[in-house]
Amino acid sequence: MRALTVVPLKANSAEVTEMPDPQPRDGELLVDGIAIGVCGTDIEIVGGEYGWAPPGEERLVLGHESLGRVREAPAGSDFSEGDLVVGVVRRPDPVPCLPCSRGEFDMCRNGRYTERGIKEIHGYGSEKWTVEADYAVKLDASLESVGMLMEPTTILAKAWDHITRIGSRSPFEPERVLITGAGPIGLLGAMLGKQRGLDVHVLDRVTDGPKPKLVEDLGGTYHSGDMASAVGHCKPDIIIEATGVGQLVFDAMQETNAGGITCLTGVSPTGRELKVDAGSINRELVLENDVVFGSVNANLRHYKAAAEALAKADRSWLERLVTRRVPLDRFQEALERQPDDVKVVIELGS
Ligand code: BGC
């Protein structure tokens, strides 16, 4: 079978490699890969900035935003041949730390977790793959063309789960959310905000292309100015920061309503210095009981929540998030960003 592989930490080493077909072990599903989504982490891995091959191997199979169709399922599992399925990205650390021992591997405390397609385990970017039935999640059969949006949706399902848990420290009935960044993470965060009945605002740089309309069609308000104009006189109760742009990150923490929650989801490049008024940020956070927290990855609870959120989302809106579909042998095109890209997908069956 063919797989999209890289030598981690070696820039531009990505290639389509011929590999032996995977053999499912006890308790594993054998899956025909349909597609993978490409995200910033994949671009970083291909650029030689991130990623780890499995121990003893040179190359890593890329792909953590998976979608496939079950070919073989172990007897007695919840899966049958033909089911649409997504594989979970992270596996708990072997120690395990306390959160990993309780199924919250997304909160791993010692960093010894592994991740498919990123850290020490092969990803899902191959024509066939296997996955433990316990780390696979079934998707509604109608999601075949958009199911690779599941993994990024889990990131937001976790963000919203933690926002709700943090909010419950005192009576909290949020009305307004501002999302910074209208990429896939921002737009899926906006979708989940709408599903929670909130007044949703999204801030991004662009004034044309698909993003403004995607926000409007969700029933949200699109802003393309600076943070101050997006916030106006009515401060949000929640901000989900999905750009990783330093200035916006610091602006975001100062722009919530009292008791506000800012969730940071963007991974920024390092080494860029910024001048900030640390005293006024501290003052604002303390005097308003504000919370700023970071959020990465997702556990099975979030995969299930994301599967439900996608099942009830408008299919044609989800379809419009996938702005390019590229066959595996032309994967290079998928790795080169184009101005109107939202989510770019590599098709594995072609
Ligand atoms: C993935 C997460 C992962 C993180 C760090 C992100 O792109 O969506 O699942 O934990 O990268 O490796």
Side-chain angles (χ1 to χ4, degrees):
M1 64 154 191
R2 295 176 310 149
L4 178 55
T5 71
V6 289
V7 179
L9 306 185
K10 187 170 169 201
N12 305 317
S13 59
E15 63 170 39
V16 175
T17 309
E18 194 57 43
M19 293 177 77
D21 282 2
Q23 303 298 324
R25 289 178 293 203
D26 267 3
E28 287 188 341
L29 310 173
L30 177 63
V31 178
D32 289 321
I34 295 176
I36 51 168
V38 176
C39 82
T41 303
D42 299 308
I43 310 263
E44 270 190 34
I45 296 174
V46 171
E49 293 160 40
Y50 197 61
W52 297 257
E57 296 187 41
E58 193 197 12
R59 305 194 77 89
L60 169 75
V61 176
L62 208 62
H64 60 279
E65 299 186 0
S66 62
L67 179 67
R69 193 173 286 290
V70 175
R71 177 180 279 258
E72 282 170 30
S77 76
D78 293 339
F79 296 90
S80 327
E81 189 186 340
D83 283 346
L84 263 192
V85 76
V86 160
V88 172
V89 175
R90 193 175 279 195
R91 298 295 178 277
D93 79 72
V95 176
C97 70
L98 183 62
C100 281
S101 75
R102 307 264 173 97
E104 300 224 359
F105 41 79
D106 57 313
M107 298 295 292
C108 180
R109 307 249 345 240
N110 62 20
R112 290 179 60 191
Y113 62 82
T114 51
E115 288 180 337
R116 292 208 48 171
I118 301 174
K119 187 167 184 267
E120 298 170 11
I121 345 178
H122 285 314
Y124 299 107
S126 49
E127 289 173 310
K128 291 194 177 66
W129 41 268
T130 54
V131 64
E132 311 88 304
D134 291 346
Y135 286 93
V137 181
K138 209 186 293 190
L139 279 191
D140 192 278
S142 65
L143 289 167
E144 171 156 10
S145 62
V146 290
M148 73 300 282
L149 296 172
M150 169 78 161
E151 197 274 344
T153 308
T154 69
I155 301 296
L156 279 314
K158 172 180 174 176
W160 277 108
D161 174 37
H162 282 216
I163 289 166
T164 309
R165 284 160 185 258
I166 293 167
S168 72
R169 70 197 159 137
S170 81
F172 187 57
E173 288 178 358
E175 289 174 7
R176 194 168 193 240
V177 58
L178 171 66
I179 291 163
T180 50
I185 294 290
L187 289 168
L188 289 166
M191 181 187 91
L192 295 194
K194 264 287 155 199
Q195 289 186 354
R196 280 162 177 72
L198 297 180
D199 175 19
V200 172
H201 294 254
V202 179
L203 171 66
D204 196 289
R205 278 179 308 190
V206 299
T207 49
D208 51 13
K211 293 175 178 178
K213 188 89 174 66
L214 279 163
V215 173
E216 278 162 34
D217 290 348
L218 204 58
T221 310
Y222 186 84
H223 304 266
S224 62
D226 58 8
M227 180 66 92
S229 47
V231 168
H233 298 297
C234 184
K235 292 195 163 199
D237 306 299
I238 297 165
I239 295 184
I240 299 180
E241 205 299 306
T243 68
V245 173
Q247 186 64 56
L248 268 182
V249 171
F250 282 99
D251 288 350
M253 4 179 138
Q254 298 177 81
E255 290 298 351
T256 56
N257 221 337
I261 301 176
T262 301
C263 173
L264 308 179
T265 64
V267 182
S268 348
T270 54
R272 290 185 197 166
E273 291 189 9
L274 202 65
K275 217 172 161 190
V276 294
D277 179 349
S280 94
I281 295 173
N282 179 71
R283 217 182 144 85
E284 172 90 14
L285 296 185
V286 171
L287 293 179
E288 292 199 341
N289 290 296
D290 289 342
V291 176
V292 180
F293 77 102
S295 184
V296 70
N297 198 252
N299 65 43
L300 275 166
R301 187 173 75 242
H302 308 125
Y303 276 77
K304 293 194 176 127
E308 281 166 26
L310 287 179
K312 63 181 178 203
D314 176 345
R315 297 292 180 281
S316 62
W317 187 86
L318 291 174
E319 295 262 2
R320 285 161 56 208
L321 291 191
V322 182
T323 42
R324 280 193 297 138
R325 296 174 191 266
V326 175
L328 178 57
D329 53 9
R330 291 186 4 225
F331 72 90
Q332 280 297 359
E333 292 170 35
L335 301 173
E336 285 151 20
R337 285 209 170 108
Q338 290 183 12
D340 284 347
D341 283 344
V342 180
K343 175 58 70 186
V344 179
V345 157
I346 299 177
E347 296 187 321
L348 300 168
S350 42

